[in-house]
Amino acid sequence: MDDFPLLSVTIFTPLAGALAIFLFVRGPEDLVARNAKWGALWVSLFTFGFSLLIWLNFKNETADFQYAERQEWMPSFNITYHVGVDGISMFFVLLSTLLTPICILASWDAIKTRVKEYMIAFLVLETMMVGMFCALDFIVFYIFFEAVLIPMFLIIGVWGGNRRVYAAFKFFLYTLLGSVLMLLALIAMYVQTGTTDIPTIMQHHFRYEVQLWMWLALFASFAVKVPMWPVHTWLPDAHVEAPTAGSVILAGVLLKMGAYGFLRFSLPMLPEASAFFTPMIYTLSIVAVIYTSLVALVQEDMKKLIAYSSVAHMGFVTVGIFAANQQAVEGALLQMLSHGFVSGALFLCVGVVYDRIHSREISRYGGLVERMPRYALIFMVFMLASVGLPGTSGFVGEFLILVGAFQANTWVALLIGTGMVLGAAYMLYMYRRVVFEKMTKEDLKSIVDLSPREIIQFAPLIILVFWMGIYPSSFIEPMSASVANLIENYNTALAAADGGHALAAR
Amino acid sequence: MEAAAVFLPLLGAFVAGFFGSVIRDRGAELVTCAFMVISALISYYLFYDVALGAAPRTVPLLDWVVSGDLSFAWSLKVDTLTAVMLLVVTTVSAVVHLYSIGYMHHDKSIPRFFAYLSLFTFFMLMLVTAENLVQLFFGWEGVGLCSYLLIGFWYDKPSANAAAIKAFLVNRVGDVGFALGIFGVYVLFGTVSFDEIFAAAPGMANATLVFLGVEYHALTVLCLLLFIGAMGKSAQLGLHTWLPDAMEGPTPVSALIHAATMVTAGVFMVCRLSPLFELSETALMVVTVVGASTAFFAATVGLTQNDIKRVIAYSTCSQLGYMFFAVGVSAYSAAMFHLMTHAFFKALLFLGSGSVIHAMSDEQDMRKMGGLYKLIPFTYALMWIGSLALAGIGIPGTSIGFAGFFSKDAIIESSFAAHTGVGTYAFWMGIAAAFMTAFYSWRLLFMTFHGKPRCDEKTLAHIHESPKIMLLPLVLLAAGSIFAGVAGYSVFVGDGMDAFWGDSIKVLSTHTALVDSHYVPIWVKVLPLAMGVSGIALAYWMYIVNTNLPKALADAFRPLYLFSYNKWYFDELFNAIFVKPAFYLGRGLWKSGDGALIDGVGPDGVAALTKRWAQRASNLQSGYLYHYAFAMLIGIVGLVTWHLFTAAG
């Protein structure tokens, strides 16, 4: 078992599946569509199965990278194909492999054109996402990190709504601009250390002034991905124009890449710079929470509202990461996972009614509970999870982040605490206008409740919401060794730097 | 055993909620009511075993969160304080379940209603059995959720939806304070478990905590933060605005949630945390002042309301104020005593008014009632009992009196016996409120049941006494309203007090208000009663003898009347300073912040740089508030960042 390259298999199964679909699915159009759908579903389910093995055989007590694989790739540049997971990255692999089959199910009837190409794009996307979370060599990381953009760009640009081209380019330009700076930082690291191996670079100490510049370059890339205020405006447009499944992946996984970058690069490699910039992160996060919550309150488009709420929730995450204590970082990780399936599910909820009425306008709905009680219930579960009601996944992450933030800075805890009120305000207000009140629109009176396929796509997410809300230990235990290690190294580095400064001052 | 009492209602909610279409209305009623009654019976046993037998215990269930040094578990703690709450919650809940069978008879979604009721009870039981602050918070927000669901039960009514959201949001404001309090407790004590906190509390009496950049007496800050949560849930002055609106929900809900159980959670919380509050004189003072002011304020508003349920809602708000100022003078057990008796007679009043509303074909405006006593005599009699208990009628110096007589007088006497400035303030506020309480209660009785019928013919012909399934619960509550005071006096606040409460309530030996309250001058004992009787007499004079007087008075003192009738303009004020600006800012930040500024100078701007810049410059001086607000925000961000950097470095 130890020799079995489980990670590589998980990473490349979807790609192989995509290739197979590309080569072998031929024939009349409807047959191609059906085979492509079933093929993609099975491939993604197998991938999910592999990723479950990663969790089941994961050793909770160590902070080391597990399932590590290492192959020479470009020996003359000292670049290797190096993958592995630790407690920080492992669950993101699972999140990606879980959401992909759900997305394929969600696209079952919604996508009518170029089905084969669509399914191929999703499977390629899955490989890129999983690869990015597993990468332990930053060239490998960079390739996957950037390559994620291509299928996503296509999914928005080809299968998106009316303004899809504008949105796709905005998305692409924003994220690419940041990436260029990240590449500069990575090259700088390579020049200084002579290696591209992430665990090795984590041991290296960069000079303080160098750290600051590297940190800013990385920040430019990660902040766009998170997205942090004020570089968040690509997100609402991208979400609105993306097909439902595209939104799910975008909110569920792609938004986590930035925060993951902070945890994998900024904090461990550039601790002093991270500590220096922490006040700025706090400020931007607080603005994000309050500003985007207020903006969400007045949205007329359901997808835009959820998109803005994502920015607010990610504001909590960035606070958690930079508060840099055990509770805050674990809370940030849980909040990311929770946001992954809750906001994903909320986009699915929008997709359900969009498929029926073809509108995302909140005012277009009202009184859905009359005809769709099951939908109303499921929508409410996710809405409450998003609001952070205790007993749901949203609470645990938010609570731990706030506990951590309170220890770091009480002002920060108080100000992002207002998100608890504002978040409830925009969510309940939207839910009321969509699901409650009198049903007055004629065409809603014949709307049908969830189909079995739709219930199946929600079921795993509902289970996760309550599982993580009631017994989060299953998720915290695998994380804690890695998080503790991260924080210990961070504090040691800061203490050493302080000692250094003190010495220099003397 | 403990777990069964708590989880049976959840099971009932589950069955009724998910299999409602299979087992039909009748099945859902049977399942939830049966489980609720069993849960109540178990609670009685627990009360007997734990409270009377002095055998507190904690039953662990499951780990919840373990993160670094922070860990808390799911568990059920049952001590005397919890046992009293179990008794109150399960009794009232069972009674309300039964009553609802009759009251909701015509409704189209009966299983949903019963599922919500049972779910609420589950959360409430989790709240009172919590062994740590976070589980308390779980129950706390859970009951808030159910309150939201039940207020908005008739979801096609816009007013009900608005009230439901308002209730949730106002409570959330309090909950932010509560949550910050929990974080502070963790930072100070390194734990959130009650037993560990209480054990360590005396050692922290002089500890300090830096909050928002200032160093404060730690326990004062923590207690005040936690108290903000209690204010939200228990509708205290400032955070009370949701409670009257919550009357949009079905009447059994008002009785269960917004009178007897959920709104008292704040009082329970402060009593539970008595070992912390005892160590902060400042916090106790604040609690006293807020409670006393609320008792007075809500009573003044109750004087002029015309909606039968709103009168009782303000009365609830006022009575909760009594409980809080009792807590503030360290008379925790008096507060708990009043909490219990209040649960009985206020639930009785609500369900009785529900019976009236039911008879009047869903009319709630007292101006359209009148003359009902001949038509629904049974309800009339029960409303009298409830009102007598609420007004605290009894004979001082004897053990003859309605339930409220014992508990309310214990509170008023304690506040007198505290001999502190705030105690005296509370005493006089309480006396004034007692007068007004009697007045508005009898105003309600006279307007509803006496005089000429003011409803239309059709309604009048339809008036009927409620079915037995609704009257039986009322009788049970009436019995509680009559006897709970006599029965509970000795153990709650009398001689048996110390043995009964054990360690569940902690009072410093220097805080002797409750003990001293037995030795107050005779005029202090008689005054509340005199106030009550004169309130009744005045109501009789104004609404039976000289019925033109109320209108003449309202005209003569129009500003005062309007101030009371419009509830001191709290809603208008909050609307103007919170709700409207939030929407205005939101729209402004979206259109001009995201749209014009960020996108304008960012991605879109790059495309047409020069042309746009000129336009942008002129747009800056647009005269719109939100444009300036946004520019200001940018400035603030810059400043704060700079400030934090210099502070850090």
Side-chain angles (χ1 to χ4, degrees):
Chain A
M1 188 71 200
D2 281 348
D3 300 334
F4 186 72
L6 189 55
L7 283 186
S8 291
V9 169
T10 313
I11 296 171
F12 292 107
T13 302
L15 194 64
L19 194 68
I21 290 173
F22 175 70
L23 291 177
F24 300 121
V25 177
R26 293 280 157 93
E29 202 177 332
D30 54 336
L31 186 73
V32 167
R34 210 180 67 206
N35 287 344
K37 281 193 275 198
W38 280 107
L41 184 63
W42 279 112
V43 169
S44 62
L45 284 176
F46 267 110
T47 315
F48 180 59
F50 289 129
S51 66
L52 274 183
L53 289 178
I54 300 178
W55 188 11
L56 288 177
N57 295 313
F58 191 83
K59 293 183 193 65
N60 292 348
E61 57 278 1
T62 169
D64 294 340
F65 288 101
Q66 305 183 28
Y67 306 100
E69 293 167 40
R70 199 170 191 144
Q71 300 287 329
E72 289 292 324
W73 188 17
M74 289 182 260
S76 49
F77 293 99
N78 202 7
I79 296 170
T80 53
Y81 169 81
H82 187 186
V83 292
V85 287
D86 66 353
I88 292 172
S89 55
M90 192 260 289
F91 281 113
F92 293 111
V93 173
L94 273 109
L95 183 66
S96 314
T97 56
L98 172 71
L99 287 180
T100 305
I102 290 175
C103 284
I104 288 169
L105 273 180
S107 314
W108 211 254
D109 298 327
I111 299 299
K112 302 230 166 17
T113 53
R114 300 173 190 270
V115 178
K116 180 176 149 186
E117 288 79 0
Y118 182 86
M119 294 299 159
I120 290 174
F122 256 94
L123 290 177
V124 172
L125 183 60
E126 186 178 12
T127 288
M128 301 305 161
M129 294 186 300
V130 176
M132 194 221 66
F133 287 120
C134 295
L136 288 183
D137 182 289
F138 70 57
I139 295 299
V140 179
F141 173 86
Y142 184 77
I143 289 170
F144 283 129
F145 192 82
E146 293 307 304
V148 163
L149 288 182
I150 300 165
M152 199 65 219
F153 173 75
L154 292 175
I155 287 168
I156 297 175
V158 176
W159 292 276
N162 295 333
R163 291 176 76 224
R164 57 179 183 264
V165 177
Y166 170 79
F169 272 103
K170 196 168 175 183
F171 165 73
F172 200 76
L173 283 177
Y174 249 119
T175 45
L176 196 69
L177 202 68
S179 303
V180 172
L181 290 169
M182 178 170 83
L183 186 61
L184 281 178
L186 295 182
I187 291 172
M189 284 181 177
Y190 175 66
V191 169
Q192 295 233 334
T193 59
T195 177
T196 57
D197 191 52
I198 291 175
T200 314
I201 299 175
M202 281 181 185
Q203 309 298 327
H204 186 271
H205 179 255
F206 294 101
R207 265 193 323 121
Y208 181 58
E209 293 73 21
V210 179
Q211 278 196 23
L212 292 183
W213 287 108
M214 285 179 173
W215 193 95
L216 280 174
L218 290 178
F219 172 74
S221 170
F222 299 148
V224 169
K225 276 270 165 42
V226 167
M228 294 182 74
W229 186 87
V231 286
H232 64 279
T233 57
W234 62 270
L235 185 69
D237 282 319
H239 268 311
V240 167
E241 300 308 326
T244 301
S247 291
V248 174
I249 285 291
L250 193 54
V253 184
L254 264 55
L255 296 195
K256 311 300 169 313
M257 291 163 56
Y260 175 73
F262 282 131
L263 280 169
R264 185 58 84 221
F265 290 87
S266 304
L267 235 45
M269 295 179 189
L270 312 167
E272 291 149 79
S274 297
F276 177 77
F277 284 111
T278 295
M280 182 182 78
I281 294 277
Y282 284 164
T283 315
L284 293 180
S285 306
I286 290 165
V287 174
V289 169
I290 297 174
Y291 177 113
T292 51
S293 296
L294 287 173
V295 172
L297 197 58
V298 298
Q299 294 306 307
E300 289 134 20
D301 181 308
M302 284 193 258
K303 270 190 156 180
K304 268 201 172 163
L305 193 149
I306 301 167
Y308 276 109
S309 86
S310 293
V311 182
H313 281 121
M314 294 309 285
F316 273 86
V317 171
T318 42
V319 165
I321 290 173
F322 282 87
N325 52 50
Q326 187 85 20
Q327 286 91 31
V329 174
E330 286 178 2
L333 286 168
L334 287 175
Q335 173 85 339
M336 279 195 262
L337 294 174
S338 162
H339 177 264
F341 38 79
V342 171
S343 73
L346 285 172
F347 280 117
L348 289 176
C349 287
V350 177
V352 166
V353 288
Y354 184 79
D355 289 347
R356 288 161 172 71
I357 305 292
H358 300 290
S359 172
R360 297 178 308 263
E361 288 289 307
I362 293 174
S363 58
R364 194 58 194 71
Y365 295 93
L368 288 183
V369 64
E370 294 261 345
R371 296 272 314 161
M372 309 175 75
R374 281 192 216 121
Y375 173 75
L377 178 68
I378 287 176
F379 197 174
M380 174 160 281
V381 167
F382 291 115
M383 174 196 79
L384 293 171
S386 165
V387 166
L389 199 83
T392 65
S393 58
F395 171 73
V396 184
E398 201 172 283
F399 184 83
L400 288 177
I401 289 172
L402 284 166
V403 171
F406 191 92
Q407 294 169 57
N409 186 327
T410 44
W411 272 109
V412 174
L414 175 73
L415 289 172
I416 62 170
T418 58
M420 281 172 63
V421 181
L422 293 168
Y426 60 70
M427 273 297 168
L428 294 184
Y429 186 47
M430 173 184 74
Y431 189 82
R432 167 192 171 174
R433 287 178 293 164
V434 173
V435 176
F436 286 152
E437 308 226 320
K438 261 202 170 59
M439 185 177 270
T440 50
K441 314 278 186 310
E442 275 309 316
D443 55 348
L444 295 183
K445 287 181 180 156
S446 56
I447 200 166
V448 286
D449 208 346
L450 298 180
S451 68
R453 172 182 61 80
E454 286 166 329
I455 291 178
I456 290 171
Q457 85 198 18
F458 281 116
L461 301 175
I462 293 180
I463 293 170
L464 279 169
V465 161
F466 287 113
W467 183 359
M468 195 182 266
I470 294 167
Y471 191 70
S473 296
S474 320
F475 303 92
I476 298 178
E477 276 168 16
M479 291 172 186
S480 57
S482 297
V483 173
N485 182 49
L486 171 76
I487 288 163
E488 195 190 320
N489 288 340
Y490 179 72
N491 288 333
T492 316
L494 290 188
D498 260 7
H501 288 312
L503 228 62
R506 217 185 295 158
Chain B
M1 191 68 131
E2 291 80 1
V6 174
F7 287 99
L8 274 177
L10 179 65
L11 187 63
F14 191 80
V15 172
F18 288 103
F19 304 102
S21 53
V22 184
I23 57 175
R24 302 298 180 88
D25 294 357
R26 182 58 52 171
E29 288 167 359
L30 276 177
V31 169
T32 51
C33 291
F35 283 175
M36 202 52 244
V37 169
I38 297 172
S39 167
L41 293 176
I42 298 174
S43 301
Y44 296 158
Y45 170 75
L46 287 174
F47 181 79
Y48 166 79
D49 194 41
V50 173
L52 302 179
R57 63 187 79 138
T58 302
V59 183
L61 296 177
L62 184 73
D63 272 349
W64 189 1
V65 168
V66 181
S67 172
D69 301 332
L70 173 67
S71 71
F72 43 88
W74 299 102
S75 52
L76 305 174
K77 175 190 175 81
V78 186
D79 60 1
T80 304
L81 197 58
T82 300
V84 171
M85 291 302 287
L86 283 179
L87 183 81
V88 170
V89 172
T90 55
T91 305
V92 178
S93 182
V95 163
V96 167
H97 270 80
L98 288 177
Y99 179 90
S100 303
I101 295 177
Y103 191 85
M104 299 303 283
H105 184 61
H106 299 296
D107 204 89
K108 61 183 161 88
S109 33
I110 289 173
R112 185 165 62 98
F113 183 77
F114 280 87
Y116 287 172
L117 275 190
S118 284
L119 185 66
F120 165 79
T121 313
F122 161 71
F123 279 120
M124 192 68 206
L125 294 175
M126 284 300 273
L127 191 162
V128 300
T129 54
E131 201 284 316
N132 60 60
L133 282 166
V134 188
Q135 189 184 327
L136 183 67
F137 193 69
F138 166 81
W140 192 266
E141 291 243 302
V143 290
L145 165 69
C146 294
S147 163
Y148 160 79
L149 292 172
L150 282 163
I151 295 169
F153 181 75
W154 289 311
Y155 50 76
D156 44 7
K157 264 169 65 183
S159 57
N161 279 313
I165 292 180
K166 185 172 176 185
F168 197 90
L169 292 184
V170 175
N171 269 296
R172 269 263 158 152
V173 173
D175 291 354
V176 173
F178 189 175
L180 290 172
I182 297 176
F183 308 148
V185 167
Y186 170 65
V187 168
L188 191 66
F189 292 97
T191 173
V192 289
S193 147
F194 288 137
D195 291 340
E196 292 169 28
I197 296 170
F198 298 160
M204 294 291 179
N206 297 313
T208 58
L209 182 78
V210 178
F211 183 65
L212 302 184
V214 185
E215 193 167 351
Y216 295 103
H217 179 229
L219 288 175
T220 301
V221 182
L222 298 185
C223 289
L224 289 179
L225 285 171
L226 294 166
F227 180 60
I228 292 174
M231 283 174 68
K233 193 107 296 178
S234 294
Q236 293 299 289
L237 194 59
L239 294 178
H240 67 279
T241 52
W242 64 273
L243 182 59
D245 288 17
M247 298 301 130
E248 290 289 342
T251 306
V253 172
S254 312
L256 175 63
I257 301 186
H258 306 117
T261 56
M262 183 185 85
V263 289
T264 61
V267 180
F268 165 76
M269 185 245 260
V270 180
C271 290
R272 169 61 83 209
L273 296 173
S274 58
L276 296 186
F277 277 82
E278 277 297 285
L279 296 172
S280 170
E281 294 294 334
T282 317
L284 286 177
M285 270 168 63
V286 172
V287 174
T288 313
V289 172
V290 170
S293 307
T294 308
F296 178 80
F297 151 79
T300 62
V301 178
L303 297 176
T304 54
Q305 300 303 308
N306 290 319
D307 183 318
I308 185 167
K309 282 178 74 183
R310 278 186 188 243
V311 175
I312 308 177
Y314 276 104
S315 161
T316 305
C317 197
S318 171
Q319 296 300 311
L320 290 165
Y322 276 97
M323 295 176 211
F324 273 111
F325 77 68
V327 164
V329 297
S330 298
Y332 301 96
S333 43
M336 288 303 295
F337 189 27
H338 196 52
L339 188 160
M340 181 191 73
T341 59
H342 175 259
F344 288 117
F345 61 71
K346 195 48 70 68
L348 173 63
L349 283 171
F350 261 121
L351 295 183
S353 74
S355 184
V356 171
I357 294 165
H358 197 67
M360 293 289 299
S361 311
D362 294 331
E363 179 58 62
Q364 304 194 13
D365 192 333
M366 295 193 295
R367 286 170 299 190
K368 295 183 184 155
M369 297 180 180
L372 296 181
Y373 74 97
K374 274 180 254 161
L375 300 166
I376 44 173
F378 198 75
T379 304
Y380 175 61
L382 292 166
M383 289 294 276
W384 259 89
I385 295 176
S387 300
L388 285 168
L390 171 62
I393 302 300
I395 305 171
T398 68
S399 53
I400 302 168
F402 288 89
F405 165 70
F406 295 95
S407 53
K408 194 161 153 184
D409 284 15
I411 289 176
I412 293 180
E413 286 157 20
S414 300
S415 65
F416 181 84
H419 293 299
T420 56
V422 290
T424 312
Y425 170 75
F427 172 71
W428 288 109
M429 286 289 154
I431 292 290
F435 172 74
M436 291 186 277
T437 305
F439 176 80
Y440 64 62
S441 300
W442 266 264
R443 173 176 176 268
L444 184 153
L445 283 178
F446 293 144
M447 280 180 83
T448 309
F449 293 101
H450 291 263
K452 285 197 185 66
R454 293 182 292 271
C455 54
D456 56 43
E457 289 292 318
K458 194 164 156 252
T459 315
L460 191 65
H462 195 250
I463 293 177
H464 57 284
E465 190 65 272
S466 301
K468 287 204 181 59
I469 191 77
M470 287 168 69
L471 294 179
L472 176 75
L474 291 178
V475 172
L476 291 174
L477 291 173
S481 308
I482 298 172
F483 300 114
V486 194
Y489 185 78
S490 150
V491 291
F492 274 84
V493 294
D495 304 332
M497 183 168 87
D498 293 337
F500 179 69
W501 292 107
D503 289 335
S504 62
I505 286 177
K506 195 159 242 141
V507 183
L508 290 192
S509 55
T510 48
H511 291 164
T512 54
L514 185 59
V515 181
D516 296 346
S517 74
H518 300 298
Y519 311 103
V520 292
I522 188 73
W523 66 269
V524 174
K525 287 184 189 285
V526 177
L527 191 58
L529 180 71
M531 282 295 165
V533 173
S534 41
I536 298 171
L538 183 64
Y540 183 76
W541 172 250
M542 283 175 70
Y543 291 92
I544 298 283
V545 179
N546 192 347
T547 47
N548 294 325
L549 197 59
K551 182 150 183 3
L553 272 178
D555 288 342
F557 300 99
R558 188 145 188 84
L560 271 183
Y561 171 76
L562 284 179
F563 194 58
S564 159
Y565 184 72
N566 290 310
K567 314 149 212 161
W568 295 27
Y569 295 100
F570 267 105
D571 280 326
E572 287 75 4
L573 183 72
F574 287 174
N575 213 14
I577 58 176
F578 296 122
V579 182
K580 282 200 177 135
F583 278 90
Y584 191 67
L585 266 178
R587 192 158 284 119
L589 292 173
W590 177 35
K591 295 283 185 200
S592 91
D594 270 21
L597 254 147
I598 296 176
D599 276 355
V601 299
D604 297 350
V606 177
L609 197 64
T610 32
K611 197 177 156 194
R612 296 256 174 150
W613 273 117
Q615 217 177 348
R616 218 47 61 197
S618 62
N619 272 359
L620 275 177
Q621 294 169 15
S622 53
Y624 289 115
L625 176 66
Y626 51 74
H627 286 187
Y628 297 123
F630 184 76
M632 235 168 72
L633 192 67
I634 300 263
I636 292 170
V637 171
L639 275 175
V640 170
T641 311
W642 180 74
H643 169 76
L644 287 170
F645 272 117
T646 48

